[in-house]
Amino acid sequence: MNNDVQQRVLKAIAEVLERKETEIRLDASLRDDLAFDSLKQMTLFILLEDEFQRTITPDEVMGVVTVKDIIGFIDRKLQEPAPT
Amino acid sequence: MNRRVVITGAGVVGSIGTGVDEFWRHCLQAKSVVAPIPANWEHYAALHSRVWSPLPDIDPEYLGVARTERLQLDPGSVLAIGAAREAFERAGFSLVPDAKNSRVFTLAGVDAARIGVYLGTGIGGAYSFLHNHTHHLSQRARATLKAYAETRAPAQDRETLDGVLALMAHGPRYHPFVVSMLMPNASSAAVAIKFSLTGPNVTYCVACASGTVAVGNAYRAVRDGCVDVAVSGGCEYLNDEHGHIFRGFDIAGTLVRNCADPEAANRPFDEQRSGFLFSQGGAAVLVLEDLEHAQRRGATIMAELIGFAETFDAHSMMSLAPGGEQIERVLRTALADAGVGVHEVDYINAHGTGTKNNDETEAEIIDRVFGKSVRVNSTKSLVGHTIGASGAIEILVTALSLRDQTTHICRNLDAPLRDLNFVRAVEQFDLRVALSQSFAFGGHNAAVVLRRFS
């Protein structure tokens, strides 16, 4: 797992939740542990689109459950060519 | 119930300044910001007007809106929140962060259910609509064309295709919050959510009169006891990546044409006027308050609102009715509502757009109703036209003029179209009663009467 990606994802999650990055556990469930509702989830993925300059469609993140899942997802997205 | 209504706070964002102090200082210095329009706008259309009045880079601290909030709001709503925040602080309200969400505030010591929000906008979230519409229309077509250009297009066509691809540029996403960003009521909703206000919440969409109509109705709500405090004003964001909105006003022939000397292009009430100066946008928010409520809090009072009226031309979507019968009626009705006579009015902040038709009709009516002694200026001669925000900005300028017993000049007025007492120098004068008036596409007329507080 890319440490730089992990830090940037944690920072985005902390920004949406208004919490400290150190309070976000990697195995935390977005919905059950971090109380993400659908609007917060959309906000997070927009932030991540801006942060990593990749397009994220709702279908792509259907299976994302934990913080670690997001980091893995972004890792994979970064293997794709950047949009021009 | 007929309560006295006073202005206890204000906030403003405009091309000539952010915050009341800077904005007013620049008004009195006759500052105006006029710049060439973005170069890429001319790739899409042959435009007649070539200048606009852009907003400055605005300090995010002033706006008090976090990045995650800005992602979900049209820029017009963000400007409204910034102006509202300043207005509350100037009114002396304590903004307390919510325990669960520190980006949301409550106003300490007041009943949130007795605070109403009354904001005006002419075009709502048009920026958000156009930004997303461009993505919707271009994204797949551009991707297909790009793939063709890169793989199969003849080499000699590549330059042309690259030019077309550049014209099809669009934002990175079709925004999942687009509906709540573009709906016209988003601005008043956003302000009330930000400051946890649960009283009446209304957006007035009356083109160039939106801000005046919003403040006027807020005045009535406080006067009649519906609310104790009203957050009122107007906001507008007229920018978009491709110049759609500018083109709409340009093709209608409403914008300044004589752009060779940008500094001299915008000249309301001057014989050489050629249209209005298109502004990137702005917002002004006033805190109106029941006088007794304000005095119990020990608030500082800027001015008093004493009258309001609205009329409608029922004549043309885009032209003032010849003779201005309904404009005269709106002025006389507002003065009757205020209980003052025409000879008591010391100063008029005119609609003063700089278009041939508006200024001629407006000057004729001022002459007919008030005569030649009343002082007249046009804040649009400095700020340009902010459409739905303009009325609120001008009511703020009128209130500040009453507070400080002075006002700004009518800029670029070299050859007045009529012999009226246009403000030509910043000087102290005895200013007791003032009037701010707006006329709008559609045929809406509105006027607000203010008085020096004593």
Side-chain angles (χ1 to χ4, degrees):
Chain A
M1 197 177 287
N2 183 319
N3 195 46
D4 172 59
V5 170
Q6 178 174 314
Q7 285 310 310
R8 288 158 73 188
V9 168
L10 287 174
K11 188 166 179 287
I13 293 173
E15 189 174 337
V16 173
L17 294 177
E18 291 187 84
R19 289 167 65 167
K20 291 180 182 150
E21 291 163 47
T22 51
E23 294 173 10
I24 316 289
R25 293 193 337 264
L26 294 181
D27 62 352
S29 156
L30 293 182
R31 193 166 285 271
D32 298 335
D33 300 322
L34 299 175
F36 264 85
D37 57 20
S38 59
L39 294 180
K40 278 187 181 153
Q41 203 153 316
M42 278 197 278
T43 306
L44 173 64
F45 287 116
I46 294 170
L47 268 187
L48 293 174
E49 281 186 327
D50 286 350
E51 179 67 30
F52 294 101
Q53 298 294 298
R54 291 292 187 281
T55 300
I56 300 171
T57 67
D59 290 346
E60 287 177 308
V61 290
M62 286 281 281
V64 166
V65 176
T66 66
V67 173
K68 201 172 2 179
D69 291 342
I70 297 178
I71 297 166
F73 169 75
I74 295 292
D75 263 338
R76 289 193 298 281
K77 284 296 282 188
L78 291 176
Q79 306 307 313
E80 299 173 5
T84 54
Chain B
M1 185 183 287
N2 246 8
R3 307 193 296 182
R4 289 178 70 182
V5 182
V6 291
I7 301 172
T8 55
V12 66
V13 183
S15 58
I16 64 167
T18 302
V20 170
D21 292 339
E22 180 183 78
F23 181 87
W24 183 228
R25 187 171 64 251
H26 286 164
C27 281
L28 295 178
Q29 292 168 355
K31 179 174 177 174
S32 187
V33 177
V34 188
I37 55 173
N40 78 306
W41 289 4
E42 300 199 62
H43 297 162
Y44 295 90
L47 300 167
H48 298 98
S49 189
R50 317 293 286 277
V51 294
W52 72 330
S53 189
L55 287 166
D57 290 332
I58 300 166
D59 180 0
E61 284 296 311
Y62 171 82
L63 296 170
V65 183
R67 183 166 69 137
T68 50
E69 295 173 289
R70 290 200 299 276
L71 277 174
Q72 301 175 40
L73 294 167
D74 184 84
S77 297
V78 174
L79 296 176
I81 289 175
R85 178 187 157 106
E86 183 191 3
F88 282 130
E89 287 174 347
R90 285 184 173 275
F93 288 109
S94 234
L95 300 176
V96 183
D98 184 88
K100 290 183 185 163
N101 180 354
S102 66
R103 289 174 196 143
V104 170
F105 297 91
T106 55
L107 274 61
V110 285
D111 181 357
R114 297 284 300 163
I115 304 177
V117 179
Y118 307 81
L119 288 184
T121 173
I123 60 165
Y127 167 79
S128 295
F129 172 77
L130 292 168
H131 181 80
N132 285 279
H133 178 67
T134 304
H135 185 281
H136 178 70
L137 209 62
S138 298
Q139 193 261 331
R140 289 187 176 180
R142 186 177 185 277
T144 304
L145 189 62
K146 187 166 182 292
Y148 169 73
E150 288 173 351
T151 56
R152 293 185 289 120
Q156 70 268 24
D157 293 347
R158 190 57 203 262
E159 193 177 334
T160 304
L161 287 169
D162 284 347
V164 174
L165 287 167
L167 287 174
M168 296 170 78
H170 54 77
R173 70 178 67 85
Y174 193 85
H175 205 296
F177 295 108
V178 63
V179 173
S180 60
M181 293 166 83
L182 67 84
M183 59 190 197
N185 60 312
S187 52
S188 56
V191 167
I193 290 168
K194 183 77 176 174
F195 300 103
S196 311
L197 309 173
T198 57
N201 191 296
V202 193
T203 304
Y204 295 88
C205 204
V206 202
C208 310
S210 300
T212 306
V213 169
V215 174
N217 281 285
Y219 152 74
R220 284 179 178 163
V222 177
R223 181 196 65 187
D224 298 346
C226 302
V227 294
D228 296 325
V229 178
V231 186
S232 68
C235 62
E236 204 76 277
Y237 190 72
L238 296 163
N239 187 23
D240 67 82
E241 286 90 351
H242 305 101
H244 288 266
I245 302 169
F246 184 92
R247 185 181 184 180
F249 286 101
D250 187 64
I251 200 167
T254 59
L255 302 183
V256 288
R257 292 287 174 100
N258 302 331
C259 303
D261 178 3
E263 285 298 315
N266 182 31
R267 40 197 327 116
F269 294 116
D270 188 85
E271 288 285 6
Q272 297 303 314
R273 70 197 182 282
S274 62
F276 71 74
L277 174 65
F278 183 92
S279 168
Q280 185 177 352
V285 171
L286 304 168
V287 173
L288 309 188
E289 198 166 351
D290 162 41
L291 174 62
E292 290 182 14
H293 191 274
Q295 287 176 327
R296 277 198 300 276
R297 294 193 307 111
T300 302
I301 292 165
M302 188 187 294
E304 182 173 5
L305 266 166
I306 57 172
F308 169 60
E310 298 169 89
T311 63
F312 188 71
D313 279 358
H315 166 71
S316 161
M317 279 289 181
M318 294 182 71
S319 296
L320 300 183
E325 183 185 337
Q326 295 307 320
I327 291 177
E328 180 169 342
R329 190 166 72 89
V330 85
L331 302 179
R332 293 192 185 281
T333 309
L335 293 175
D337 187 49
V340 299
V342 291
H343 299 299
E344 293 178 76
V345 177
D346 303 303
Y347 161 58
I348 297 173
N349 189 302
H351 188 54
T353 56
T355 62
K356 288 280 182 196
N357 184 3
N358 177 88
D359 291 7
E360 189 175 320
T361 303
E362 186 172 19
E364 178 193 325
I365 295 164
I366 290 171
D367 201 351
R368 190 164 74 221
V369 175
F370 298 95
K372 299 190 188 305
S373 63
V374 63
R375 283 176 169 82
V376 179
N377 66 3
S378 161
T379 299
K380 292 183 185 77
S381 73
L382 309 177
V383 182
H385 200 342
T386 55
I387 311 295
S390 63
I393 288 173
E394 290 154 19
I395 292 169
L396 168 63
V397 165
T398 307
L400 291 165
S401 302
L402 285 160
R403 183 192 70 180
D404 295 349
Q405 299 287 284
T406 188
T407 194
H408 65 76
I409 65 163
C410 206
R411 194 170 188 269
N412 285 332
L413 185 57
D414 296 334
L417 60 89
R418 187 174 271 262
D419 178 26
L420 293 177
N421 189 11
F422 290 111
V423 181
R424 313 295 287 270
V426 175
E427 56 193 4
Q428 292 286 305
F429 61 102
D430 185 25
L431 177 48
R432 290 158 296 168
V433 175
L435 196 144
S436 182
Q437 57 199 36
S438 301
F439 322 129
F441 274 6
H444 312 263
N445 309 303
V448 167
V449 186
L450 297 93
R451 181 165 61 197
R452 178 173 69 199
F453 178 71
S454 58

